[in-house]
């Protein structure tokens, strides 16, 4: 059997990974809300996991800034501030810009196949009406776009904020829900991949700028606290650009 025809065996997800994903779904679904206390005893029963993987999952989310440990008080779901959102969105934009500059036109069929595979799973979740699955698969798709760069450290940097991006994507999905179905969300990502395959990086930049992933920023300063001069100036620039 040749190397090309050997089937790759994927390792099953660990209990820590499953617990982390379950916690993220609770955050996205509103079961755990910003400011809520994260009670270990309750979660071990609800999720059917023991304390060690649950605690490790909580550490993962703490490293991502989504859970805050307070001395003598316990763990709480972090409330994202406007400055947090400013940092997450602007960092994501710069990482995507670098990935497009390095990876388009696409020089590796395997990297492009990864994008198609992620988009296919996105479509399956959309057609099944699984909005949380759509969010998960959207993150996978955008990670595969970053992977077009062939730049391992760039992809690691992108992955380091993926859970924070997932929260922003969740807010964006809710903001777009009345005007865009899950299938239309999938079609929006299909259009982006089509532009990528056409091979013009400037066209990809323009498509990403119009991708519709910042609808949740409308009126965001009235819904969250933690305003900073940088975040307010950024929102002002975005709205000026939109009105040009």
């Amino acid at each position: 059997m040749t190397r090309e025809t050997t089937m790759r065996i994927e390792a099953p997800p660990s209990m820590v990974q499953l617990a982390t994903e379950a916690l993220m779904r609770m955050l996205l679904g509103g079961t755990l809300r910003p400011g809520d206390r994260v009670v270990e005893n309750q979660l071990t029963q609800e999720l059917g996991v023991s304390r060690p993987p649950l605690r490790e999952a909580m550490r993962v989310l703490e490293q991502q800034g989504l859970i805050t440990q307070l001395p003598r008080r316990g763990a709480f779901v972090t409330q994202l501030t406007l400055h947090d959102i400013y940092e997450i969105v602007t960092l994501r934009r710069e990482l995507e810009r670098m990935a497009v500059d390095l990876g388009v036109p696409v020089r590796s069929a395997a990297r492009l196949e990864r994008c198609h595979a992620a988009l296919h799973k996105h479509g399956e979740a959309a057609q099944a009406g699984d909005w949380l699955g759509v969010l998960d698969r959207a993150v996978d798709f955008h990670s595969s776009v970053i992977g077009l760069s062939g730049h391992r450290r760039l992809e690691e940097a992108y992955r380091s904020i993926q859970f924070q991006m997932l929260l922003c994507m969740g807010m964006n999905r809710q903001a777009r829900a009345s005007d865009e179905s899950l299938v239309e969300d999938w079609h929006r990502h299909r259009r982006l991949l089509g532009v990528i395959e056409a091979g013009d990086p400037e066209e990809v930049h323009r498509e990403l700028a119009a991708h519709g992933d910042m609808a949740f920023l409308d009126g965001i300063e009235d819904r969250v606290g933690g305003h900073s001069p940088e975040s307010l100036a950024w929102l002002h620039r975005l709205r000026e650009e939109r009105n040009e």
Side-chain angles (χ1 to χ4, degrees), residues 34-40 58 62 65-79:
D36 282 354
R37 190 171 180 218
V38 183
V39 183
E40 285 187 18
M58 289 171 61
E62 184 180 6
L66 303 183
I67 286 179
T68 302
Q69 294 278 356
L70 299 178
R72 296 181 297 280
R73 293 186 57 198
F76 292 82
V77 179
T78 304
Q79 302 190 46

mmCIF file with all atom_site columns, all heavy atoms in Angstrom, residues 34-40 58 62 65-79:
data_model
loop_
_atom_site.group_PDB
_atom_site.id
_atom_site.type_symbol
_atom_site.label_atom_id
_atom_site.label_alt_id
_atom_site.label_comp_id
_atom_site.label_asym_id
_atom_site.label_entity_id
_atom_site.label_seq_id
_atom_site.pdbx_PDB_ins_code
_atom_site.Cartn_x
_atom_site.Cartn_y
_atom_site.Cartn_z
_atom_site.occupancy
_atom_site.B_iso_or_equiv
_atom_site.pdbx_formal_charge
_atom_site.auth_seq_id
_atom_site.auth_comp_id
_atom_site.auth_asym_id
_atom_site.auth_atom_id
_atom_site.pdbx_PDB_model_num
ATOM 1   N N   . PRO A 1 34 ? -22.636 35.843 30.446 1.00 0.00 ? 34 PRO A N   1
ATOM 2   C CA  . PRO A 1 34 ? -21.600 36.679 31.056 1.00 0.00 ? 34 PRO A CA  1
ATOM 3   C C   . PRO A 1 34 ? -21.954 37.045 32.493 1.00 0.00 ? 34 PRO A C   1
ATOM 4   O O   . PRO A 1 34 ? -23.079 37.477 32.780 1.00 0.00 ? 34 PRO A O   1
ATOM 5   C CB  . PRO A 1 34 ? -21.584 37.920 30.156 1.00 0.00 ? 34 PRO A CB  1
ATOM 6   C CG  . PRO A 1 34 ? -22.030 37.400 28.823 1.00 0.00 ? 34 PRO A CG  1
ATOM 7   C CD  . PRO A 1 34 ? -23.057 36.358 29.132 1.00 0.00 ? 34 PRO A CD  1
ATOM 8   N N   . GLY A 1 35 ? -21.005 36.833 33.383 1.00 0.00 ? 35 GLY A N   1
ATOM 9   C CA  . GLY A 1 35 ? -21.223 37.124 34.795 1.00 0.00 ? 35 GLY A CA  1
ATOM 10  C C   . GLY A 1 35 ? -21.697 35.935 35.605 1.00 0.00 ? 35 GLY A C   1
ATOM 11  O O   . GLY A 1 35 ? -21.658 35.965 36.841 1.00 0.00 ? 35 GLY A O   1
ATOM 12  N N   . ASP A 1 36 ? -22.162 34.851 34.930 1.00 0.00 ? 36 ASP A N   1
ATOM 13  C CA  . ASP A 1 36 ? -22.621 33.663 35.654 1.00 0.00 ? 36 ASP A CA  1
ATOM 14  C C   . ASP A 1 36 ? -21.448 32.967 36.341 1.00 0.00 ? 36 ASP A C   1
ATOM 15  O O   . ASP A 1 36 ? -20.334 32.915 35.805 1.00 0.00 ? 36 ASP A O   1
ATOM 16  C CB  . ASP A 1 36 ? -23.287 32.664 34.699 1.00 0.00 ? 36 ASP A CB  1
ATOM 17  C CG  . ASP A 1 36 ? -24.696 33.060 34.322 1.00 0.00 ? 36 ASP A CG  1
ATOM 18  O OD1 . ASP A 1 36 ? -25.206 34.039 34.879 1.00 0.00 ? 36 ASP A OD1 1
ATOM 19  O OD2 . ASP A 1 36 ? -25.278 32.369 33.454 1.00 0.00 ? 36 ASP A OD2 1
ATOM 20  N N   . ARG A 1 37 ? -21.736 32.400 37.501 1.00 0.00 ? 37 ARG A N   1
ATOM 21  C CA  . ARG A 1 37 ? -20.726 31.592 38.178 1.00 0.00 ? 37 ARG A CA  1
ATOM 22  C C   . ARG A 1 37 ? -20.672 30.213 37.528 1.00 0.00 ? 37 ARG A C   1
ATOM 23  O O   . ARG A 1 37 ? -21.704 29.632 37.187 1.00 0.00 ? 37 ARG A O   1
ATOM 24  C CB  . ARG A 1 37 ? -21.069 31.456 39.657 1.00 0.00 ? 37 ARG A CB  1
ATOM 25  C CG  . ARG A 1 37 ? -19.936 30.824 40.447 1.00 0.00 ? 37 ARG A CG  1
ATOM 26  C CD  . ARG A 1 37 ? -20.161 30.881 41.935 1.00 0.00 ? 37 ARG A CD  1
ATOM 27  N NE  . ARG A 1 37 ? -19.036 30.267 42.638 1.00 0.00 ? 37 ARG A NE  1
ATOM 28  C CZ  . ARG A 1 37 ? -19.124 29.530 43.718 1.00 0.00 ? 37 ARG A CZ  1
ATOM 29  N NH1 . ARG A 1 37 ? -20.313 29.307 44.246 1.00 0.00 ? 37 ARG A NH1 1
ATOM 30  N NH2 . ARG A 1 37 ? -18.068 29.019 44.295 1.00 0.00 ? 37 ARG A NH2 1
ATOM 31  N N   . VAL A 1 38 ? -19.470 29.689 37.332 1.00 0.00 ? 38 VAL A N   1
ATOM 32  C CA  . VAL A 1 38 ? -19.277 28.361 36.750 1.00 0.00 ? 38 VAL A CA  1
ATOM 33  C C   . VAL A 1 38 ? -19.129 27.374 37.902 1.00 0.00 ? 38 VAL A C   1
ATOM 34  O O   . VAL A 1 38 ? -18.094 27.344 38.578 1.00 0.00 ? 38 VAL A O   1
ATOM 35  C CB  . VAL A 1 38 ? -18.026 28.325 35.844 1.00 0.00 ? 38 VAL A CB  1
ATOM 36  C CG1 . VAL A 1 38 ? -17.890 26.956 35.193 1.00 0.00 ? 38 VAL A CG1 1
ATOM 37  C CG2 . VAL A 1 38 ? -18.110 29.425 34.783 1.00 0.00 ? 38 VAL A CG2 1
ATOM 38  N N   . VAL A 1 39 ? -20.166 26.584 38.150 1.00 0.00 ? 39 VAL A N   1
ATOM 39  C CA  . VAL A 1 39 ? -20.222 25.696 39.309 1.00 0.00 ? 39 VAL A CA  1
ATOM 40  C C   . VAL A 1 39 ? -19.801 24.289 38.884 1.00 0.00 ? 39 VAL A C   1
ATOM 41  O O   . VAL A 1 39 ? -20.491 23.617 38.110 1.00 0.00 ? 39 VAL A O   1
ATOM 42  C CB  . VAL A 1 39 ? -21.638 25.661 39.914 1.00 0.00 ? 39 VAL A CB  1
ATOM 43  C CG1 . VAL A 1 39 ? -21.655 24.781 41.160 1.00 0.00 ? 39 VAL A CG1 1
ATOM 44  C CG2 . VAL A 1 39 ? -22.107 27.072 40.246 1.00 0.00 ? 39 VAL A CG2 1
ATOM 45  N N   . GLU A 1 40 ? -18.664 23.828 39.395 1.00 0.00 ? 40 GLU A N   1
ATOM 46  C CA  . GLU A 1 40 ? -18.109 22.536 38.978 1.00 0.00 ? 40 GLU A CA  1
ATOM 47  C C   . GLU A 1 40 ? -19.054 21.374 39.260 1.00 0.00 ? 40 GLU A C   1
ATOM 48  O O   . GLU A 1 40 ? -19.268 20.507 38.404 1.00 0.00 ? 40 GLU A O   1
ATOM 49  C CB  . GLU A 1 40 ? -16.769 22.289 39.665 1.00 0.00 ? 40 GLU A CB  1
ATOM 50  C CG  . GLU A 1 40 ? -15.627 23.108 39.104 1.00 0.00 ? 40 GLU A CG  1
ATOM 51  C CD  . GLU A 1 40 ? -14.298 22.691 39.718 1.00 0.00 ? 40 GLU A CD  1
ATOM 52  O OE1 . GLU A 1 40 ? -14.223 21.590 40.297 1.00 0.00 ? 40 GLU A OE1 1
ATOM 53  O OE2 . GLU A 1 40 ? -13.342 23.468 39.611 1.00 0.00 ? 40 GLU A OE2 1
ATOM 54  N N   . MET A 1 58 ? -11.924 24.203 31.713 1.00 0.00 ? 58 MET A N   1
ATOM 55  C CA  . MET A 1 58 ? -12.090 25.545 32.254 1.00 0.00 ? 58 MET A CA  1
ATOM 56  C C   . MET A 1 58 ? -10.797 26.335 32.156 1.00 0.00 ? 58 MET A C   1
ATOM 57  O O   . MET A 1 58 ? -10.804 27.545 31.894 1.00 0.00 ? 58 MET A O   1
ATOM 58  C CB  . MET A 1 58 ? -12.576 25.475 33.705 1.00 0.00 ? 58 MET A CB  1
ATOM 59  C CG  . MET A 1 58 ? -14.019 25.003 33.832 1.00 0.00 ? 58 MET A CG  1
ATOM 60  S SD  . MET A 1 58 ? -14.531 24.667 35.553 1.00 0.00 ? 58 MET A SD  1
ATOM 61  C CE  . MET A 1 58 ? -14.319 26.289 36.303 1.00 0.00 ? 58 MET A CE  1
ATOM 62  N N   . GLU A 1 62 ? -10.169 29.784 30.361 1.00 0.00 ? 62 GLU A N   1
ATOM 63  C CA  . GLU A 1 62 ? -9.563  30.868 31.131 1.00 0.00 ? 62 GLU A CA  1
ATOM 64  C C   . GLU A 1 62 ? -8.393  31.475 30.357 1.00 0.00 ? 62 GLU A C   1
ATOM 65  O O   . GLU A 1 62 ? -8.227  32.701 30.316 1.00 0.00 ? 62 GLU A O   1
ATOM 66  C CB  . GLU A 1 62 ? -9.094  30.360 32.491 1.00 0.00 ? 62 GLU A CB  1
ATOM 67  C CG  . GLU A 1 62 ? -8.541  31.455 33.393 1.00 0.00 ? 62 GLU A CG  1
ATOM 68  C CD  . GLU A 1 62 ? -8.086  30.934 34.741 1.00 0.00 ? 62 GLU A CD  1
ATOM 69  O OE1 . GLU A 1 62 ? -8.086  29.703 34.951 1.00 0.00 ? 62 GLU A OE1 1
ATOM 70  O OE2 . GLU A 1 62 ? -7.701  31.764 35.584 1.00 0.00 ? 62 GLU A OE2 1
ATOM 71  N N   . GLY A 1 65 ? -9.518  33.829 27.955 1.00 0.00 ? 65 GLY A N   1
ATOM 72  C CA  . GLY A 1 65 ? -10.150 35.024 28.503 1.00 0.00 ? 65 GLY A CA  1
ATOM 73  C C   . GLY A 1 65 ? -11.651 34.936 28.639 1.00 0.00 ? 65 GLY A C   1
ATOM 74  O O   . GLY A 1 65 ? -12.322 35.937 28.882 1.00 0.00 ? 65 GLY A O   1
ATOM 75  N N   . LEU A 1 66 ? -12.210 33.713 28.502 1.00 0.00 ? 66 LEU A N   1
ATOM 76  C CA  . LEU A 1 66 ? -13.663 33.555 28.541 1.00 0.00 ? 66 LEU A CA  1
ATOM 77  C C   . LEU A 1 66 ? -14.170 33.169 29.928 1.00 0.00 ? 66 LEU A C   1
ATOM 78  O O   . LEU A 1 66 ? -15.360 33.275 30.201 1.00 0.00 ? 66 LEU A O   1
ATOM 79  C CB  . LEU A 1 66 ? -14.120 32.511 27.525 1.00 0.00 ? 66 LEU A CB  1
ATOM 80  C CG  . LEU A 1 66 ? -13.703 32.803 26.077 1.00 0.00 ? 66 LEU A CG  1
ATOM 81  C CD1 . LEU A 1 66 ? -14.264 31.739 25.147 1.00 0.00 ? 66 LEU A CD1 1
ATOM 82  C CD2 . LEU A 1 66 ? -14.151 34.186 25.649 1.00 0.00 ? 66 LEU A CD2 1
ATOM 83  N N   . ILE A 1 67 ? -13.281 32.706 30.778 1.00 0.00 ? 67 ILE A N   1
ATOM 84  C CA  . ILE A 1 67 ? -13.606 32.417 32.171 1.00 0.00 ? 67 ILE A CA  1
ATOM 85  C C   . ILE A 1 67 ? -12.604 33.158 33.051 1.00 0.00 ? 67 ILE A C   1
ATOM 86  O O   . ILE A 1 67 ? -11.416 33.204 32.737 1.00 0.00 ? 67 ILE A O   1
ATOM 87  C CB  . ILE A 1 67 ? -13.572 30.903 32.460 1.00 0.00 ? 67 ILE A CB  1
ATOM 88  C CG1 . ILE A 1 67 ? -14.804 30.215 31.839 1.00 0.00 ? 67 ILE A CG1 1
ATOM 89  C CG2 . ILE A 1 67 ? -13.530 30.614 33.966 1.00 0.00 ? 67 ILE A CG2 1
ATOM 90  C CD1 . ILE A 1 67 ? -14.853 28.713 32.061 1.00 0.00 ? 67 ILE A CD1 1
ATOM 91  N N   . THR A 1 68 ? -13.108 33.754 34.121 1.00 0.00 ? 68 THR A N   1
ATOM 92  C CA  . THR A 1 68 ? -12.263 34.502 35.049 1.00 0.00 ? 68 THR A CA  1
ATOM 93  C C   . THR A 1 68 ? -12.324 33.852 36.416 1.00 0.00 ? 68 THR A C   1
ATOM 94  O O   . THR A 1 68 ? -13.418 33.585 36.933 1.00 0.00 ? 68 THR A O   1
ATOM 95  C CB  . THR A 1 68 ? -12.730 35.970 35.160 1.00 0.00 ? 68 THR A CB  1
ATOM 96  O OG1 . THR A 1 68 ? -12.695 36.568 33.850 1.00 0.00 ? 68 THR A OG1 1
ATOM 97  C CG2 . THR A 1 68 ? -11.839 36.760 36.100 1.00 0.00 ? 68 THR A CG2 1
ATOM 98  N N   . GLN A 1 69 ? -11.170 33.560 36.987 1.00 0.00 ? 69 GLN A N   1
ATOM 99  C CA  . GLN A 1 69 ? -11.084 33.014 38.341 1.00 0.00 ? 69 GLN A CA  1
ATOM 100 C C   . GLN A 1 69 ? -10.886 34.159 39.326 1.00 0.00 ? 69 GLN A C   1
ATOM 101 O O   . GLN A 1 69 ? -9.945  34.937 39.197 1.00 0.00 ? 69 GLN A O   1
ATOM 102 C CB  . GLN A 1 69 ? -9.907  32.036 38.444 1.00 0.00 ? 69 GLN A CB  1
ATOM 103 C CG  . GLN A 1 69 ? -10.054 30.779 37.610 1.00 0.00 ? 69 GLN A CG  1
ATOM 104 C CD  . GLN A 1 69 ? -10.913 29.718 38.279 1.00 0.00 ? 69 GLN A CD  1
ATOM 105 O OE1 . GLN A 1 69 ? -11.350 29.882 39.420 1.00 0.00 ? 69 GLN A OE1 1
ATOM 106 N NE2 . GLN A 1 69 ? -11.146 28.622 37.565 1.00 0.00 ? 69 GLN A NE2 1
ATOM 107 N N   . LEU A 1 70 ? -11.785 34.262 40.298 1.00 0.00 ? 70 LEU A N   1
ATOM 108 C CA  . LEU A 1 70 ? -11.691 35.316 41.300 1.00 0.00 ? 70 LEU A CA  1
ATOM 109 C C   . LEU A 1 70 ? -11.342 34.694 42.650 1.00 0.00 ? 70 LEU A C   1
ATOM 110 O O   . LEU A 1 70 ? -11.980 33.714 43.062 1.00 0.00 ? 70 LEU A O   1
ATOM 111 C CB  . LEU A 1 70 ? -13.013 36.081 41.404 1.00 0.00 ? 70 LEU A CB  1
ATOM 112 C CG  . LEU A 1 70 ? -13.467 36.803 40.123 1.00 0.00 ? 70 LEU A CG  1
ATOM 113 C CD1 . LEU A 1 70 ? -14.819 37.470 40.353 1.00 0.00 ? 70 LEU A CD1 1
ATOM 114 C CD2 . LEU A 1 70 ? -12.431 37.828 39.696 1.00 0.00 ? 70 LEU A CD2 1
ATOM 115 N N   . PRO A 1 71 ? -10.329 35.208 43.347 1.00 0.00 ? 71 PRO A N   1
ATOM 116 C CA  . PRO A 1 71 ? -9.928  34.644 44.643 1.00 0.00 ? 71 PRO A CA  1
ATOM 117 C C   . PRO A 1 71 ? -11.100 34.571 45.620 1.00 0.00 ? 71 PRO A C   1
ATOM 118 O O   . PRO A 1 71 ? -11.849 35.543 45.780 1.00 0.00 ? 71 PRO A O   1
ATOM 119 C CB  . PRO A 1 71 ? -8.856  35.629 45.141 1.00 0.00 ? 71 PRO A CB  1
ATOM 120 C CG  . PRO A 1 71 ? -8.334  36.280 43.889 1.00 0.00 ? 71 PRO A CG  1
ATOM 121 C CD  . PRO A 1 71 ? -9.511  36.375 42.954 1.00 0.00 ? 71 PRO A CD  1
ATOM 122 N N   . ARG A 1 72 ? -11.258 33.393 46.221 1.00 0.00 ? 72 ARG A N   1
ATOM 123 C CA  . ARG A 1 72 ? -12.283 33.130 47.252 1.00 0.00 ? 72 ARG A CA  1
ATOM 124 C C   . ARG A 1 72 ? -13.722 33.244 46.726 1.00 0.00 ? 72 ARG A C   1
ATOM 125 O O   . ARG A 1 72 ? -14.660 33.130 47.490 1.00 0.00 ? 72 ARG A O   1
ATOM 126 C CB  . ARG A 1 72 ? -12.092 34.045 48.470 1.00 0.00 ? 72 ARG A CB  1
ATOM 127 C CG  . ARG A 1 72 ? -10.775 33.800 49.200 1.00 0.00 ? 72 ARG A CG  1
ATOM 128 C CD  . ARG A 1 72 ? -10.629 34.695 50.412 1.00 0.00 ? 72 ARG A CD  1
ATOM 129 N NE  . ARG A 1 72 ? -10.578 36.094 50.047 1.00 0.00 ? 72 ARG A NE  1
ATOM 130 C CZ  . ARG A 1 72 ? -9.500  36.732 49.595 1.00 0.00 ? 72 ARG A CZ  1
ATOM 131 N NH1 . ARG A 1 72 ? -8.351  36.077 49.456 1.00 0.00 ? 72 ARG A NH1 1
ATOM 132 N NH2 . ARG A 1 72 ? -9.531  38.012 49.280 1.00 0.00 ? 72 ARG A NH2 1
ATOM 133 N N   . ARG A 1 73 ? -13.876 33.463 45.443 1.00 0.00 ? 73 ARG A N   1
ATOM 134 C CA  . ARG A 1 73 ? -15.234 33.570 44.884 1.00 0.00 ? 73 ARG A CA  1
ATOM 135 C C   . ARG A 1 73 ? -15.520 32.488 43.846 1.00 0.00 ? 73 ARG A C   1
ATOM 136 O O   . ARG A 1 73 ? -16.666 32.121 43.637 1.00 0.00 ? 73 ARG A O   1
ATOM 137 C CB  . ARG A 1 73 ? -15.461 34.950 44.268 1.00 0.00 ? 73 ARG A CB  1
ATOM 138 C CG  . ARG A 1 73 ? -15.471 36.092 45.288 1.00 0.00 ? 73 ARG A CG  1
ATOM 139 C CD  . ARG A 1 73 ? -15.836 37.397 44.622 1.00 0.00 ? 73 ARG A CD  1
ATOM 140 N NE  . ARG A 1 73 ? -17.120 37.341 43.958 1.00 0.00 ? 73 ARG A NE  1
ATOM 141 C CZ  . ARG A 1 73 ? -17.518 38.220 43.025 1.00 0.00 ? 73 ARG A CZ  1
ATOM 142 N NH1 . ARG A 1 73 ? -16.710 39.186 42.630 1.00 0.00 ? 73 ARG A NH1 1
ATOM 143 N NH2 . ARG A 1 73 ? -18.709 38.100 42.471 1.00 0.00 ? 73 ARG A NH2 1
ATOM 144 N N   . GLY A 1 74 ? -14.492 31.990 43.181 1.00 0.00 ? 74 GLY A N   1
ATOM 145 C CA  . GLY A 1 74 ? -14.686 30.942 42.190 1.00 0.00 ? 74 GLY A CA  1
ATOM 146 C C   . GLY A 1 74 ? -14.534 31.443 40.766 1.00 0.00 ? 74 GLY A C   1
ATOM 147 O O   . GLY A 1 74 ? -13.959 32.500 40.514 1.00 0.00 ? 74 GLY A O   1
ATOM 148 N N   . ALA A 1 75 ? -15.068 30.663 39.839 1.00 0.00 ? 75 ALA A N   1
ATOM 149 C CA  . ALA A 1 75 ? -14.935 30.955 38.410 1.00 0.00 ? 75 ALA A CA  1
ATOM 150 C C   . ALA A 1 75 ? -16.223 31.577 37.874 1.00 0.00 ? 75 ALA A C   1
ATOM 151 O O   . ALA A 1 75 ? -17.330 31.165 38.233 1.00 0.00 ? 75 ALA A O   1
ATOM 152 C CB  . ALA A 1 75 ? -14.624 29.676 37.642 1.00 0.00 ? 75 ALA A CB  1
ATOM 153 N N   . PHE A 1 76 ? -16.060 32.564 37.003 1.00 0.00 ? 76 PHE A N   1
ATOM 154 C CA  . PHE A 1 76 ? -17.198 33.266 36.416 1.00 0.00 ? 76 PHE A CA  1
ATOM 155 C C   . PHE A 1 76 ? -16.990 33.424 34.912 1.00 0.00 ? 76 PHE A C   1
ATOM 156 O O   . PHE A 1 76 ? -15.848 33.504 34.447 1.00 0.00 ? 76 PHE A O   1
ATOM 157 C CB  . PHE A 1 76 ? -17.364 34.657 37.045 1.00 0.00 ? 76 PHE A CB  1
ATOM 158 C CG  . PHE A 1 76 ? -17.789 34.627 38.487 1.00 0.00 ? 76 PHE A CG  1
ATOM 159 C CD1 . PHE A 1 76 ? -16.844 34.440 39.489 1.00 0.00 ? 76 PHE A CD1 1
ATOM 160 C CD2 . PHE A 1 76 ? -19.118 34.768 38.843 1.00 0.00 ? 76 PHE A CD2 1
ATOM 161 C CE1 . PHE A 1 76 ? -17.218 34.394 40.818 1.00 0.00 ? 76 PHE A CE1 1
ATOM 162 C CE2 . PHE A 1 76 ? -19.501 34.732 40.173 1.00 0.00 ? 76 PHE A CE2 1
ATOM 163 C CZ  . PHE A 1 76 ? -18.556 34.542 41.163 1.00 0.00 ? 76 PHE A CZ  1
ATOM 164 N N   . VAL A 1 77 ? -18.095 33.465 34.178 1.00 0.00 ? 77 VAL A N   1
ATOM 165 C CA  . VAL A 1 77 ? -18.023 33.736 32.747 1.00 0.00 ? 77 VAL A CA  1
ATOM 166 C C   . VAL A 1 77 ? -17.647 35.195 32.562 1.00 0.00 ? 77 VAL A C   1
ATOM 167 O O   . VAL A 1 77 ? -18.280 36.094 33.122 1.00 0.00 ? 77 VAL A O   1
ATOM 168 C CB  . VAL A 1 77 ? -19.368 33.457 32.057 1.00 0.00 ? 77 VAL A CB  1
ATOM 169 C CG1 . VAL A 1 77 ? -19.280 33.778 30.567 1.00 0.00 ? 77 VAL A CG1 1
ATOM 170 C CG2 . VAL A 1 77 ? -19.788 32.001 32.258 1.00 0.00 ? 77 VAL A CG2 1
ATOM 171 N N   . THR A 1 78 ? -16.604 35.427 31.786 1.00 0.00 ? 78 THR A N   1
ATOM 172 C CA  . THR A 1 78 ? -16.107 36.776 31.560 1.00 0.00 ? 78 THR A CA  1
ATOM 173 C C   . THR A 1 78 ? -17.099 37.572 30.711 1.00 0.00 ? 78 THR A C   1
ATOM 174 O O   . THR A 1 78 ? -17.714 37.041 29.781 1.00 0.00 ? 78 THR A O   1
ATOM 175 C CB  . THR A 1 78 ? -14.753 36.734 30.831 1.00 0.00 ? 78 THR A CB  1
ATOM 176 O OG1 . THR A 1 78 ? -13.850 35.933 31.591 1.00 0.00 ? 78 THR A OG1 1
ATOM 177 C CG2 . THR A 1 78 ? -14.169 38.120 30.668 1.00 0.00 ? 78 THR A CG2 1
ATOM 178 N N   . GLN A 1 79 ? -17.235 38.838 31.033 1.00 0.00 ? 79 GLN A N   1
ATOM 179 C CA  . GLN A 1 79 ? -18.051 39.729 30.218 1.00 0.00 ? 79 GLN A CA  1
ATOM 180 C C   . GLN A 1 79 ? -17.137 40.447 29.231 1.00 0.00 ? 79 GLN A C   1
ATOM 181 O O   . GLN A 1 79 ? -16.268 41.221 29.634 1.00 0.00 ? 79 GLN A O   1
ATOM 182 C CB  . GLN A 1 79 ? -18.788 40.734 31.099 1.00 0.00 ? 79 GLN A CB  1
ATOM 183 C CG  . GLN A 1 79 ? -19.694 40.077 32.136 1.00 0.00 ? 79 GLN A CG  1
ATOM 184 C CD  . GLN A 1 79 ? -20.595 41.072 32.838 1.00 0.00 ? 79 GLN A CD  1
ATOM 185 O OE1 . GLN A 1 79 ? -21.204 41.927 32.195 1.00 0.00 ? 79 GLN A OE1 1
ATOM 186 N NE2 . GLN A 1 79 ? -20.700 40.971 34.143 1.00 0.00 ? 79 GLN A NE2 1
#
